[in-house]
């Protein structure tokens, strides 16, 4: 069983819209999550870390965590074509190896 | 944030030769580094966990004699692909765990694209 489930996409949104990326997880013991962004042909980069229920905002990005529903999301406001990438929801394993899924591919059209 | 440097970024080699990829943490000490491999349109697959001063721990299905990992210092881990074959062509990415960090996040190198002819 996969640790997280993400729609592989592509999720297509017009420039300026809000992109909503969703992730559900199966392990109730997961306490915190990373959101990584990976551009095609590049290595992943961390964009958000969330460990508390509720919202965490950083610029145009808002991460949401709902532990009761086992649901994590990432909202990108005012989406730009440069946001087009694959977004990976990754459970934090507490200084152990991280397991990556295929993520959600986001396409922002001009 | 912490910086991880990986070299070379691209390498082309002939079948049967060996290739070494270096991964350095530039501004922090990394007791643990991870090596991933990614084929086109697939997810990152963990190959091995590299711990400074000890033998690497390989994931199931990864040949330890083919993918030699050395983590001789707190800032350097190397991956050597021995007797490379075309099926080893892939994007190899190292990552480092910030010792003493708060979150357990991984800092990634830029990746090394290996093409075996």
């Amino acid at each position: 069983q996969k640790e997280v489930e993400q729609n592989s996409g592509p999720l297509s949104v017009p420039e300026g819209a809000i992109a909503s990326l969703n992730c559900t997880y199966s392990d109730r013991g997961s306490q915190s999550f990373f959101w990584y962004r990976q551009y095609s042909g590049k290595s992943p980069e961390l964009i958000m870390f969330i460990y508390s229920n509720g919202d965490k905002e950083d610029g145009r990005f808002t991460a949401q965590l709902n532990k009761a529903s086992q649901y994590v999301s990432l909202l990108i406001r005012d989406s730009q074509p440069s946001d087009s990438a694959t977004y990976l929801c990754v459970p934090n394993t507490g200084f152990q190896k991280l397991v990556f899924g295929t993520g959600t591919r986001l396409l922002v059209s001009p | 944030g912490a910086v991880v440097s990986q070299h070379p970024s691209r390498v082309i080699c002939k079948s049967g030769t060996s290739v070494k990829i270096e991964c350095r943490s530039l501004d922090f000490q990394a007791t643990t580094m991870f090596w991933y491999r990614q084929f086109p349109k697939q997810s990152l697959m963990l190959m091995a966990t590299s711990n400074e001063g000890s033998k690497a721990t390989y994931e199931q299905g990864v040949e330890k004699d083919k993918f030699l990992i050395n983590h001789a210092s707190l800032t350097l881990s190397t991956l050597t692909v021995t007797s490379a074959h075309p099926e080893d062509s892939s994007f190899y990415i190292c990552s480092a765990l910030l010792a003493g960090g708060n979150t357990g996040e991984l800092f990634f190198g830029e990746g090394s694209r290996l093409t075996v002819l």
Side-chain angles (χ1 to χ4, degrees):
Chain A
Q1 186 180 12
K2 291 183 180 178
E3 293 191 23
V4 298
E5 293 283 347
Q6 286 184 264
N7 189 316
S8 59
L11 171 67
S12 296
V13 300
E15 183 174 358
I18 296 176
S20 177
L21 302 156
N22 305 314
C23 168
T24 58
Y25 61 96
S26 57
D27 182 1
R28 282 200 172 273
S30 295
Q31 294 296 310
S32 55
F33 293 83
F34 301 108
W35 278 101
Y36 280 88
R37 175 177 64 194
Q38 186 178 24
Y39 291 110
S40 180
K42 303 293 184 182
S43 59
E45 57 180 322
L46 181 70
I47 54 173
M48 290 287 279
F49 171 65
I50 186 164
Y51 57 91
S52 298
N53 268 325
D55 297 357
K56 178 181 179 182
E57 187 174 321
D58 183 0
R60 295 187 296 112
F61 297 96
T62 299
Q64 299 174 319
L65 174 59
N66 184 323
K67 294 184 181 181
S69 300
Q70 296 180 237
Y71 179 86
V72 191
S73 67
L74 180 70
L75 301 178
I76 306 175
R77 290 181 298 282
D78 188 24
S79 296
Q80 301 297 309
S82 58
D83 295 324
S84 298
T86 297
Y87 290 81
L88 302 150
C89 166
V90 185
N92 186 7
T93 54
F95 300 92
Q96 304 299 316
K97 60 188 179 184
L98 295 186
V99 177
F100 291 81
T102 51
T104 298
R105 185 171 164 226
L106 172 66
L107 292 176
V108 182
S109 54
Chain B
V3 178
V4 176
S5 176
Q6 193 173 336
H7 179 81
S9 58
R10 289 182 179 275
V11 57
I12 300 173
C13 70
K14 293 182 178 180
S15 185
T17 60
S18 295
V19 174
K20 179 185 283 188
I21 301 170
E22 292 187 347
C23 179
R24 295 180 184 273
S25 56
L26 296 186
D27 53 357
F28 68 101
Q29 292 183 333
T31 53
T32 303
M33 291 185 175
F34 301 93
W35 286 94
Y36 290 84
R37 177 169 56 179
Q38 187 174 35
F39 292 105
K41 301 188 184 304
Q42 295 187 21
S43 59
L44 274 75
M45 295 300 298
L46 180 67
M47 299 176 66
T49 301
S50 169
N51 292 298
E52 185 266 336
S54 63
K55 291 183 179 180
T57 302
Y58 290 82
E59 295 298 301
Q60 190 174 7
V62 177
E63 299 175 57
K64 62 179 182 180
D65 294 329
K66 180 171 182 63
F67 299 100
L68 302 179
I69 292 173
N70 184 282
H71 194 158
S73 76
L74 287 172
T75 59
L76 174 64
S77 177
T78 60
L79 167 67
T80 301
V81 182
T82 63
S83 186
H85 287 92
E87 58 265 30
D88 298 323
S89 298
S90 188
F91 190 45
Y92 293 85
I93 311 172
C94 74
S95 62
L97 197 55
L98 177 61
N102 294 324
T103 62
E105 68 183 275
L106 292 184
F107 297 94
F108 284 88
E110 306 95 328
S112 298
R113 189 162 301 282
L114 170 64
T115 302
V116 184
L117 303 177

